[in-house]
Amino acid sequence: MDKKILLVHPEVSRNKYNFNGILENEPLELEYLSAVLKQEGYAPEIFDVPREAVSLEEKLRQYRPDVFYICGRIKQEAFMKEYIRLAKRLNPQVVTIVGGLHVQKNYERFYMPETDYILTTFDVFQIPGIIEGEALEEIPGLCYREGGRWKCQAAQPLTSAVCPGRTAVTFTPIRDITTILRFPTAPR
């Protein structure tokens, strides 16, 4: 398909007292979504903000996505909102979608002019329907604006599964945290 889709995983912190490089979150939710979108014929790109060499603003200017999807956890909420606003400021026609674990229970916090759609379920199989313009009232777990007000469809239990697209990002899991933090270990 010819739509450019950018899937964004924001940083947790911007201060020097963070665990970047020590404890990092794999963008697993985006890897699941990437796999679903690839099955539907799309070629999404995952942009993992803490690991990228360029800023998200540079990426948005260069790539010019048609669809911008972002997800995160509670500590990433401010960055998620900032990046949704940035995406719309740089391209008012971009379709913005927010989802993920934090959003499922706190979706009303993302009722903002720059947000087009909010997914209140982990059912990433619903995203292609949003992109393809299916009837919004038929998409479970979707919040959207109708007549200037937010309308939310009830989420349904997740009944399908997909293997995450782990080839989409370079991620080296840390197997022994004690070697990185240099904690003394007890003799055996």
Side-chain angles (χ1 to χ4, degrees), residues 6-9 27 30-31 34 44-48 52 165 168-169:
L6 189 62
L7 310 175
V8 178
H9 179 246
L30 298 181
E31 292 168 338
S34 177
E45 286 194 26
I46 292 179
F47 191 85
D48 192 4
E52 299 293 340
V169 294

Side-chain angles (χ1 to χ4, degrees), residues 33 46 89 128 170 181:
L33 178 52
I46 292 179
R89 181 173 56 80
T170 303
L181 296 179

Side-chain angles (χ1 to χ4, degrees), residues 11-24 50 75 79 181:
E11 67 269 46
V12 175
S13 172
R14 289 187 185 144
N15 68 39
K16 65 182 182 177
Y17 304 107
N18 63 43
F19 287 97
N20 287 344
I22 298 172
L23 297 175
E24 296 183 18
K75 292 189 75 147
F79 300 126
L181 296 179

